[in-house]
Amino acid sequence: MVVFGSSIQECCNNPNCFPYFLDDCLSFIEKSGINTEWIFYQEASNEVDVMRLRETIERSNKTNRCVFSDKEDPHTVATVVKSFFQELAEPIIPFSHYRQFTTCQLSVISFFPLMTSLPKANGVVLKRLVIFFNKLSTNHEANHMTPYNLSCTIANDLLRDQTPNPADFDHIADIFDFIISNAKEIFAGFPEPTPPLISAKPAHRSSDYPKTKGVEPVKIQSNDSKPSANTSKIEV
């Protein structure tokens, strides 16, 4: 199964699930990268590490978990997460919803019905992602990533028209600044992600993947195993 360049529905096994690989990437950043300076703004410095992680995710076949080394660079994981959303066949907020989102009043009461109108898989993934960004932004004194900085970095990958208009980019950043800042209120009562209903497959061996000096390969863990925008206006 192809992950990068596919649809969000293809990465979820049912409309209420959350892709394992994406959950593992976000959980790793929450644990090991939440204080990393300029996380999501600064690209990974080693393209080999990025390609290694992408290959690992592609090989996971949706059925296994990624187990990260303590030496993994959070910027590498964040770069791969951004790439996933950049390369989706259709953004997490579908083209059909673009006008509703860009003309919506910036208020919790206005955004809630828009979120519930999204396809279930899209809504569940967007909720997890936005609440993750909200949590990341609470550490902005250490990582410099305020809700606005995060929105400038990734908003145009999450909400875009079929023919993107650069004149809309600042407004889209403002929209996601508001959504990230008010994530818990906007998504209150929204469905939580549930584990995919799939059969576990044997884990890939870590030796199957190319190594980069000083970084251990990301391991794939089968489900039956025990757990082991544009950035021109970034605020400084």
Side-chain angles (χ1 to χ4, degrees), residues 8 17-18 35 48 54 72 83 87 136 176 196-197 226:
I8 199 65
C17 81
F18 192 92
N35 291 321
V48 173
R54 286 175 62 112
E72 191 72 63
S83 296
E87 296 173 27
L136 201 63
F176 267 90
L197 302 175
K226 294 182 180 178

Side-chain angles (χ1 to χ4, degrees), residues 92-105:
I92 194 71
I93 297 176
F95 295 130
S96 59
H97 287 62
Y98 180 82
R99 180 168 176 77
Q100 295 96 304
F101 271 80
T102 54
T103 59
C104 182
Q105 181 181 359

Side-chain angles (χ1 to χ4, degrees), residues 153-167:
T153 301
I154 200 169
N156 289 293
D157 299 324
L158 307 178
L159 175 63
R160 64 179 186 272
D161 204 355
Q162 286 180 292
T163 305
N165 183 356

